[in-house]
Amino acid sequence: MALLRIREVKALDGFKLRLALTDGSVIEPRLLVGPVFEPIRKDPAVFARVRGEGGTVVWPNGADLCPDVLIWGGAPPEEGLQPAHPPRA
C-alpha cells in the first residue's frame, strides 16, 4: 500500500484547511486542539501561515499535525481494508 500523505495545503476561512493528497483526492479536515494551537485559533493571519512540509502541515510556531490523523482521523486502515479515498469532511 502506498503511503498517503499531504501534497499541498491551503488555509480557508473559518480556520479550515484544504489538503490535496498524494493520491489526487482533496479533503477539508477540522482539527486544531491543544495549547500549541491556541495562537493559531485566535488569529486568522497566523492560521494562514500554514505550509505543507514533509507530507503534513506545519505552522511557524512549530505546531504540526500527524498526517494520518488529518487524513484518516487516526491510524490508517490496515492493508486491504483501505478505501479508495479517505473520508471527506
Side-chain angles (χ1 to χ4, degrees):
M1 167 172 54
L3 194 60
L4 189 57
R5 289 296 177 243
I6 297 161
R7 183 175 39 85
E8 208 173 294
V9 60
K10 180 178 180 181
L12 304 175
D13 290 338
F15 299 98
K16 297 180 199 171
L17 297 173
R18 178 171 296 139
L19 307 176
L21 306 180
T22 53
D23 71 350
S25 61
V26 176
I27 60 172
E28 294 181 10
R30 297 179 199 170
L31 182 63
L32 291 177
V33 295
V36 73
F37 295 107
E38 278 186 35
I40 296 166
R41 287 190 309 261
K42 291 180 179 180
D43 187 345
V46 173
F47 178 79
R49 294 181 64 197
V50 67
R51 67 186 188 280
E53 183 178 292
T56 192
V57 298
V58 298
W59 282 268
N61 73 343
D64 64 357
L65 289 161
C66 171
D68 292 335
V69 171
L70 287 167
I71 296 167
W72 302 108
E78 294 182 36
E79 185 151 357
L81 300 177
Q82 183 173 348
H85 294 282
R88 299 180 194 271

